[in-house]
Amino acid sequence: MRILILGGDGYLGWPTAMHLTAYGHEVVVVDNYLRRRLCREENIDLLFDVPELPERTAIWQSLSGHKIQVYIGDLVEWDFIAEVFEKFIPEAIVHYAEQPAAPYSMLNRQAATLTLNNNLSVTVNVIFAVREFCPDAHIVKLGTMGEYGTPNVDIEEGWLEVKHKGRRHKFLYPRQASSLYHTTKIMDTDLLWFYVRTWGLRATDLMQGPVYGLFTDENEKHEQLLPFFNYDEIFGTVLNRFVVQAVGGYPLTVYGKGGQTRGYLNIKDTLNCIRLSVDNPADKGELRIFNQFTETFSVNDLAEKVREAGNQLGLKVEIQHVANPRIEAEEHYYHPRHTALLDLGLAPHYLSEGVLVEMMEYVIKYKDQIKHDQIYRKVKWA
Ligand SMILES: NC(=O)c1ccc[n+]([C@@H]2O[C@H](COP(=O)([O-])OP(=O)(O)OC[C@H]3O[C@@H](n4cnc5c(N)ncnc54)[C@H](O)[C@@H]3O)[C@@H](O)[C@H]2O)c1
């Protein structure tokens, strides 16, 4: 299949590009290096340097024989995205190209408007490009479990059948985000649903939980094929951050009571979920929503697991409850359904001590590069 990966330089986009070519798909990646630029502007360093796309694709081609074509440009620009679609005519589009960090979106007004303008504009452009150049193509869009918030009832996969005054109707499951970033994801879902209804597009919206990990079957720990690894408060995801904090001798920063529970997944499972979604497309006129995670943990659970894994390596890992900079429930009910991807054949890679130890052993190589002042900057929600 011809697959266009938007955001192909990113933490998830690059491993996805390698993975899909390894499975025989023809892949084009697009990125404008927004993530790298925002890191530079906020004085954030990655744990290790990652080559830009032309170099990474050349290395991947020399090792695997698979070619990935690269376009560098801003998907907010219609002329640019139209050129890419017109030349490639994709059969599936994996849309990762957004500002993905909740803390970044809460930094200040400029960061808020960048997040809003970028995320919604790219999504609208993708929808219009599909309609104009490849109306039968399947849009696979990354949403987030954070769209649902933490309701005091079970979370379904995207939809809720409501009985009201004796009548029934199926609605999008109610959404209630806890950051501006998550709010843009809700708006994306609304945009997709509107155009699926209006133009009969085919779309899959993946409500993904926080991803952890570095290693995939394709990178095999090849240094220059690894994804970005952020450990800072703004762009790092929680488990990746805790692993680096444990190695760097910085107490694990549990926000508030630490009962915040979410659905997590290994980066290997992100790739499998994307491949399964692409290989089994939504019908025309269908918005399919899958909850993309494999197991749930509280922040306290994660901290405890990282401490135990650290002990295996002789690290002395402390856990510190710090004042919560976010506005969120610290103890709550959380029971989200997640069977659709399992039904498609997902075989999860669960979080084990071995997985954590493997990550820590790798991070130890960069121990001296860990900058403590990047770890906890207290980006406040209010
Ligand atoms: N990483 C996670 O744990 C996680 C969890 C849930 C959802 N998601 C979603 O998955 C997607 C990918 O996340 P990620 O962690 O890989 O983020 P990332 O920032 O590493 O990747 C996104 C990529 O898109 C690019 N991009 C953004 N705007 C662009 C534009 N206008 N034009 C061209 N390129 C643009 C960025 O430069 C970046 O390389 C995001 O949509 C994110 O919201 C991620």
Side-chain angles (χ1 to χ4, degrees):
M1 220 184 267
R2 284 190 310 279
I3 304 174
L4 188 58
I5 300 183
L6 308 177
D9 188 48
Y11 173 56
L12 303 178
W14 171 246
T16 305
M18 288 192 290
H19 184 74
L20 293 178
T21 56
Y23 275 80
H25 295 296
E26 187 184 344
V27 170
V28 164
V29 294
V30 187
D31 210 291
N32 66 345
Y33 298 139
L34 175 71
R35 166 71 170 259
R36 294 178 189 254
R37 171 164 76 81
L38 299 182
C39 285
R40 277 197 305 276
E41 287 174 4
E42 296 305 321
N43 286 322
I44 291 166
D45 293 322
L46 299 170
L47 186 64
F48 45 82
D49 288 337
V50 168
E52 292 191 354
L53 278 170
E55 195 180 337
R56 288 159 124 182
T57 50
I59 297 168
W60 174 238
Q61 189 173 353
S62 72
L63 290 175
S64 70
H66 301 300
K67 188 172 161 50
I68 297 174
Q69 198 185 340
V70 177
Y71 284 88
I72 300 300
D74 188 349
L75 293 157
V76 168
E77 301 296 331
W78 172 252
D79 289 350
F80 171 69
I81 189 172
E83 183 194 336
V84 173
F85 270 74
E86 194 170 14
K87 282 191 175 147
F88 187 50
I89 312 286
E91 292 163 283
I93 298 99
V94 180
H95 172 16
Y96 283 125
E98 303 214 338
Q99 189 299 99
Y104 181 84
S105 74
M106 302 300 287
L107 269 177
N108 51 42
R109 187 183 59 79
Q110 287 86 345
T113 51
L114 183 148
T115 304
L116 199 56
N117 294 339
N118 186 71
N119 294 2
L120 296 184
S121 303
V122 175
T123 299
V124 164
N125 274 353
V126 169
I127 289 168
F128 273 78
V130 166
R131 186 198 193 202
E132 185 158 341
F133 300 106
C134 47
D136 206 34
H138 178 205
I139 302 173
V140 177
K141 161 86 182 53
L142 266 291
T144 156
M145 284 299 292
E147 292 184 36
Y148 300 119
T150 52
N152 199 28
V153 292
D154 287 12
I155 296 172
E156 302 302 323
E157 285 195 82
W159 302 93
L160 187 67
E161 176 98 19
V162 175
K163 188 169 169 225
H164 182 58
K165 296 185 178 168
R167 301 179 69 83
R168 290 180 174 276
H169 192 82
K170 199 170 107 181
F171 292 93
L172 280 175
Y173 190 93
R175 282 152 159 80
Q176 188 163 279
S178 62
S179 79
L180 178 75
Y181 152 70
H182 291 101
T183 303
T184 65
K185 294 299 215 184
I186 294 175
M187 295 171 170
D188 280 341
T189 300
D190 278 332
L191 285 172
L192 273 182
W193 179 215
F194 171 68
Y195 284 109
V196 163
R197 290 198 311 272
T198 309
W199 291 345
L201 305 180
R202 56 176 95 229
T204 300
D205 203 351
L206 297 168
M207 300 298 140
Q208 182 173 243
V211 183
Y212 58 86
L214 266 170
F215 309 121
T216 66
D217 292 345
E218 289 74 32
N219 66 39
E220 289 179 335
K221 301 188 185 172
H222 189 301
E223 184 92 16
Q224 291 182 298
L225 295 180
L226 294 180
F228 294 153
F229 200 69
N230 278 90
Y231 60 95
D232 57 280
E233 172 189 343
I234 294 182
F235 286 105
T237 49
V238 56
L239 192 56
N240 288 354
R241 286 194 280 124
F242 279 0
V243 163
V244 175
Q245 289 175 227
V247 170
Y250 194 103
L252 308 187
T253 41
V254 173
Y255 293 169
K257 293 180 183 149
Q260 300 91 322
T261 303
R262 303 287 184 267
Y264 292 85
L265 74 166
N266 190 309
I267 192 166
K268 292 180 181 172
D269 287 333
T270 294
L271 310 190
N272 288 326
C273 291
I274 296 289
R275 180 171 42 77
L276 288 167
S277 302
V278 165
D279 286 348
N280 300 279
D283 290 334
K284 262 192 102 55
E286 182 190 19
L287 171 64
R288 212 171 41 165
I289 301 180
F290 297 155
N291 292 346
Q292 184 167 310
F293 66 93
T294 58
E295 47 195 337
T296 57
F297 298 108
S298 69
V299 178
N300 286 329
D301 293 335
L302 293 180
E304 211 40 65
K305 281 178 182 296
V306 170
R307 173 154 61 188
E308 284 163 18
N311 287 344
Q312 288 291 317
L313 292 173
L315 300 169
K316 191 173 171 321
V317 182
E318 279 179 47
I319 297 175
Q320 198 174 53
H321 289 260
V322 299
N324 192 344
R326 304 182 177 201
I327 310 287
E328 62 183 0
E330 293 174 6
E331 286 171 326
H332 57 87
Y333 181 79
Y334 200 63
H335 198 261
R337 187 181 168 89
H338 60 116
T339 51
L341 284 157
L342 296 171
D343 291 345
L344 282 182
L346 178 68
H349 296 77
Y350 292 114
L351 181 62
S352 63
E353 192 163 284
V355 168
L356 286 169
V357 166
E358 186 188 32
M359 282 172 74
M360 282 181 185
E361 282 173 339
Y362 197 82
V363 170
I364 284 169
K365 284 174 54 174
Y366 297 96
K367 190 175 188 313
D368 296 340
Q369 276 165 237
I370 298 171
K371 295 187 176 158
H372 281 200
D373 60 349
Q374 306 216 349
I375 290 175
Y376 183 47
R377 293 163 43 156
K378 302 185 191 144
V379 179
K380 286 212 169 71
W381 261 225

